[in-house]
Amino acid sequence: KNCIDGLINGTMDNNELADRIALRELIDKISMLGDKKDFVHQTELFSENAISETVAGGEIILKLAGRKEMVQAFEKFLQDFDTVYHFNGQQIVTINGDTAAGTCYCFITLIGNENGKRIKTTVGATYEDEYIRVSGQWLVAKRVGNFNWQDKAVINSVQDR
């Protein structure tokens, strides 16, 4: 069901609208906590046995199961970056009772040092998510992150200007 059509035609009830808002807030919270490198709280927004897969070049390059494994992998992957920003864009969700599925576009910026230079890595990603409602709270049960493209550039630090 299309969200706008449902609102215009009156076929979307307040519960569905609340679920859509909650699911949007969920993905934004996950991104913001990742940017802060608060991986313990970030992974609490995933179900206990959630699956996270990362795909690049059409190949699964990382598959994680459970919160503990996710915390360790996220810490390791982002340890060399001092700046992390996720900018979430379009999101489409389909809700079916206490489960849902959705796609979200994300623009990721990572800044760190590499070979004595400041490097900005920019990634265009889409997340294919499966959600589950547990005790009234939406959580991610499965996330497939498709890293569709990546660009690296040397940048000047603030002190160099």
Side-chain angles (χ1 to χ4, degrees), residues 90-107:
Q90 306 92 309
Q91 180 198 33
I92 300 291
V93 295
T94 303
I95 301 167
N96 186 8
D98 287 336
T99 63
T103 300
C104 179
Y105 282 69
C106 186
F107 191 66

PDB file of all heavy atoms in Angstrom, residues 90-107:
ATOM      1  N   GLN A  90      15.642   8.088   0.801  1.00  0.00           N
ATOM      2  CA  GLN A  90      14.359   7.474   0.534  1.00  0.00           C
ATOM      3  C   GLN A  90      14.196   6.177   1.318  1.00  0.00           C
ATOM      4  O   GLN A  90      15.150   5.425   1.492  1.00  0.00           O
ATOM      5  CB  GLN A  90      14.220   7.139  -0.962  1.00  0.00           C
ATOM      6  CG  GLN A  90      14.462   8.278  -1.897  1.00  0.00           C
ATOM      7  CD  GLN A  90      15.903   8.370  -2.360  1.00  0.00           C
ATOM      8  OE1 GLN A  90      16.829   8.362  -1.573  1.00  0.00           O
ATOM      9  NE2 GLN A  90      16.083   8.489  -3.659  1.00  0.00           N
ATOM     10  N   GLN A  91      12.977   5.939   1.785  1.00  0.00           N
ATOM     11  CA  GLN A  91      12.654   4.685   2.465  1.00  0.00           C
ATOM     12  C   GLN A  91      11.247   4.264   2.055  1.00  0.00           C
ATOM     13  O   GLN A  91      10.322   5.075   2.087  1.00  0.00           O
ATOM     14  CB  GLN A  91      12.693   4.834   3.990  1.00  0.00           C
ATOM     15  CG  GLN A  91      12.368   3.524   4.702  1.00  0.00           C
ATOM     16  CD  GLN A  91      11.978   3.700   6.154  1.00  0.00           C
ATOM     17  OE1 GLN A  91      11.371   4.694   6.532  1.00  0.00           O
ATOM     18  NE2 GLN A  91      12.333   2.743   6.962  1.00  0.00           N
ATOM     19  N   ILE A  92      11.134   3.011   1.667  1.00  0.00           N
ATOM     20  CA  ILE A  92       9.837   2.414   1.348  1.00  0.00           C
ATOM     21  C   ILE A  92       9.676   1.200   2.256  1.00  0.00           C
ATOM     22  O   ILE A  92      10.604   0.390   2.377  1.00  0.00           O
ATOM     23  CB  ILE A  92       9.770   1.949  -0.124  1.00  0.00           C
ATOM     24  CG1 ILE A  92       9.978   3.129  -1.079  1.00  0.00           C
ATOM     25  CG2 ILE A  92       8.466   1.217  -0.414  1.00  0.00           C
ATOM     26  CD1 ILE A  92       8.853   4.121  -1.099  1.00  0.00           C
ATOM     27  N   VAL A  93       8.528   1.084   2.920  1.00  0.00           N
ATOM     28  CA  VAL A  93       8.275  -0.077   3.783  1.00  0.00           C
ATOM     29  C   VAL A  93       6.928  -0.706   3.451  1.00  0.00           C
ATOM     30  O   VAL A  93       5.996  -0.028   3.009  1.00  0.00           O
ATOM     31  CB  VAL A  93       8.322   0.273   5.298  1.00  0.00           C
ATOM     32  CG1 VAL A  93       9.704   0.712   5.722  1.00  0.00           C
ATOM     33  CG2 VAL A  93       7.295   1.313   5.662  1.00  0.00           C
ATOM     34  N   THR A  94       6.871  -2.003   3.673  1.00  0.00           N
ATOM     35  CA  THR A  94       5.633  -2.762   3.560  1.00  0.00           C
ATOM     36  C   THR A  94       5.416  -3.425   4.912  1.00  0.00           C
ATOM     37  O   THR A  94       6.291  -4.159   5.389  1.00  0.00           O
ATOM     38  CB  THR A  94       5.737  -3.842   2.455  1.00  0.00           C
ATOM     39  OG1 THR A  94       6.067  -3.186   1.234  1.00  0.00           O
ATOM     40  CG2 THR A  94       4.432  -4.587   2.305  1.00  0.00           C
ATOM     41  N   ILE A  95       4.279  -3.152   5.524  1.00  0.00           N
ATOM     42  CA  ILE A  95       3.989  -3.657   6.873  1.00  0.00           C
ATOM     43  C   ILE A  95       2.955  -4.767   6.780  1.00  0.00           C
ATOM     44  O   ILE A  95       1.951  -4.637   6.095  1.00  0.00           O
ATOM     45  CB  ILE A  95       3.485  -2.512   7.772  1.00  0.00           C
ATOM     46  CG1 ILE A  95       4.542  -1.399   7.844  1.00  0.00           C
ATOM     47  CG2 ILE A  95       3.136  -3.033   9.166  1.00  0.00           C
ATOM     48  CD1 ILE A  95       4.042  -0.104   8.448  1.00  0.00           C
ATOM     49  N   ASN A  96       3.230  -5.852   7.522  1.00  0.00           N
ATOM     50  CA  ASN A  96       2.313  -6.984   7.565  1.00  0.00           C
ATOM     51  C   ASN A  96       2.203  -7.439   9.022  1.00  0.00           C
ATOM     52  O   ASN A  96       2.928  -8.333   9.461  1.00  0.00           O
ATOM     53  CB  ASN A  96       2.818  -8.117   6.665  1.00  0.00           C
ATOM     54  CG  ASN A  96       1.826  -9.249   6.557  1.00  0.00           C
ATOM     55  OD1 ASN A  96       0.698  -9.148   7.017  1.00  0.00           O
ATOM     56  ND2 ASN A  96       2.260 -10.343   5.957  1.00  0.00           N
ATOM     57  N   GLY A  97       1.332  -6.782   9.778  1.00  0.00           N
ATOM     58  CA  GLY A  97       1.170  -7.117  11.193  1.00  0.00           C
ATOM     59  C   GLY A  97       2.405  -6.743  12.000  1.00  0.00           C
ATOM     60  O   GLY A  97       2.776  -5.579  12.057  1.00  0.00           O
ATOM     61  N   ASP A  98       3.045  -7.754  12.603  1.00  0.00           N
ATOM     62  CA  ASP A  98       4.234  -7.516  13.423  1.00  0.00           C
ATOM     63  C   ASP A  98       5.534  -7.756  12.676  1.00  0.00           C
ATOM     64  O   ASP A  98       6.601  -7.893  13.282  1.00  0.00           O
ATOM     65  CB  ASP A  98       4.187  -8.403  14.682  1.00  0.00           C
ATOM     66  CG  ASP A  98       3.153  -7.907  15.685  1.00  0.00           C
ATOM     67  OD1 ASP A  98       2.820  -6.696  15.660  1.00  0.00           O
ATOM     68  OD2 ASP A  98       2.669  -8.721  16.491  1.00  0.00           O
ATOM     69  N   THR A  99       5.455  -7.815  11.356  1.00  0.00           N
ATOM     70  CA  THR A  99       6.655  -7.890  10.526  1.00  0.00           C
ATOM     71  C   THR A  99       6.549  -6.827   9.448  1.00  0.00           C
ATOM     72  O   THR A  99       5.466  -6.344   9.119  1.00  0.00           O
ATOM     73  CB  THR A  99       6.841  -9.283   9.870  1.00  0.00           C
ATOM     74  OG1 THR A  99       5.752  -9.534   8.994  1.00  0.00           O
ATOM     75  CG2 THR A  99       6.950 -10.380  10.929  1.00  0.00           C
ATOM     76  N   ALA A 100       7.698  -6.466   8.904  1.00  0.00           N
ATOM     77  CA  ALA A 100       7.726  -5.475   7.836  1.00  0.00           C
ATOM     78  C   ALA A 100       9.012  -5.676   7.040  1.00  0.00           C
ATOM     79  O   ALA A 100       9.947  -6.341   7.500  1.00  0.00           O
ATOM     80  CB  ALA A 100       7.660  -4.060   8.412  1.00  0.00           C
ATOM     81  N   ALA A 101       9.026  -5.115   5.860  1.00  0.00           N
ATOM     82  CA  ALA A 101      10.218  -5.138   5.017  1.00  0.00           C
ATOM     83  C   ALA A 101      10.385  -3.755   4.421  1.00  0.00           C
ATOM     84  O   ALA A 101       9.390  -3.050   4.186  1.00  0.00           O
ATOM     85  CB  ALA A 101      10.077  -6.186   3.918  1.00  0.00           C
ATOM     86  N   GLY A 102      11.629  -3.375   4.191  1.00  0.00           N
ATOM     87  CA  GLY A 102      11.845  -2.046   3.644  1.00  0.00           C
ATOM     88  C   GLY A 102      13.187  -1.890   2.969  1.00  0.00           C
ATOM     89  O   GLY A 102      14.101  -2.690   3.180  1.00  0.00           O
ATOM     90  N   THR A 103      13.260  -0.844   2.159  1.00  0.00           N
ATOM     91  CA  THR A 103      14.490  -0.448   1.489  1.00  0.00           C
ATOM     92  C   THR A 103      14.777   0.995   1.852  1.00  0.00           C
ATOM     93  O   THR A 103      13.875   1.835   1.841  1.00  0.00           O
ATOM     94  CB  THR A 103      14.338  -0.558  -0.045  1.00  0.00           C
ATOM     95  OG1 THR A 103      14.026  -1.907  -0.371  1.00  0.00           O
ATOM     96  CG2 THR A 103      15.613  -0.134  -0.762  1.00  0.00           C
ATOM     97  N   CYS A 104      16.033   1.266   2.157  1.00  0.00           N
ATOM     98  CA  CYS A 104      16.458   2.628   2.483  1.00  0.00           C
ATOM     99  C   CYS A 104      17.751   2.934   1.733  1.00  0.00           C
ATOM    100  O   CYS A 104      18.664   2.114   1.712  1.00  0.00           O
ATOM    101  CB  CYS A 104      16.685   2.774   3.983  1.00  0.00           C
ATOM    102  SG  CYS A 104      17.246   4.421   4.458  1.00  0.00           S
ATOM    103  N   TYR A 105      17.805   4.110   1.131  1.00  0.00           N
ATOM    104  CA  TYR A 105      19.023   4.571   0.480  1.00  0.00           C
ATOM    105  C   TYR A 105      19.853   5.343   1.503  1.00  0.00           C
ATOM    106  O   TYR A 105      19.304   6.074   2.334  1.00  0.00           O
ATOM    107  CB  TYR A 105      18.687   5.485  -0.694  1.00  0.00           C
ATOM    108  CG  TYR A 105      18.234   4.726  -1.920  1.00  0.00           C
ATOM    109  CD1 TYR A 105      17.012   4.062  -1.934  1.00  0.00           C
ATOM    110  CD2 TYR A 105      19.031   4.661  -3.049  1.00  0.00           C
ATOM    111  CE1 TYR A 105      16.589   3.360  -3.046  1.00  0.00           C
ATOM    112  CE2 TYR A 105      18.626   3.963  -4.171  1.00  0.00           C
ATOM    113  CZ  TYR A 105      17.399   3.314  -4.166  1.00  0.00           C
ATOM    114  OH  TYR A 105      16.987   2.611  -5.265  1.00  0.00           O
ATOM    115  N   CYS A 106      21.177   5.174   1.412  1.00  0.00           N
ATOM    116  CA  CYS A 106      22.055   5.818   2.390  1.00  0.00           C
ATOM    117  C   CYS A 106      23.333   6.294   1.707  1.00  0.00           C
ATOM    118  O   CYS A 106      23.923   5.589   0.885  1.00  0.00           O
ATOM    119  CB  CYS A 106      22.386   4.828   3.512  1.00  0.00           C
ATOM    120  SG  CYS A 106      23.314   5.548   4.865  1.00  0.00           S
ATOM    121  N   PHE A 107      23.756   7.483   2.072  1.00  0.00           N
ATOM    122  CA  PHE A 107      24.992   8.083   1.592  1.00  0.00           C
ATOM    123  C   PHE A 107      25.926   8.112   2.805  1.00  0.00           C
ATOM    124  O   PHE A 107      25.611   8.760   3.805  1.00  0.00           O
ATOM    125  CB  PHE A 107      24.671   9.498   1.095  1.00  0.00           C
ATOM    126  CG  PHE A 107      25.753  10.186   0.342  1.00  0.00           C
ATOM    127  CD1 PHE A 107      26.181   9.715  -0.891  1.00  0.00           C
ATOM    128  CD2 PHE A 107      26.322  11.335   0.846  1.00  0.00           C
ATOM    129  CE1 PHE A 107      27.156  10.382  -1.598  1.00  0.00           C
ATOM    130  CE2 PHE A 107      27.302  12.010   0.144  1.00  0.00           C
ATOM    131  CZ  PHE A 107      27.726  11.533  -1.081  1.00  0.00           C
TER     132      PHE A 107
END
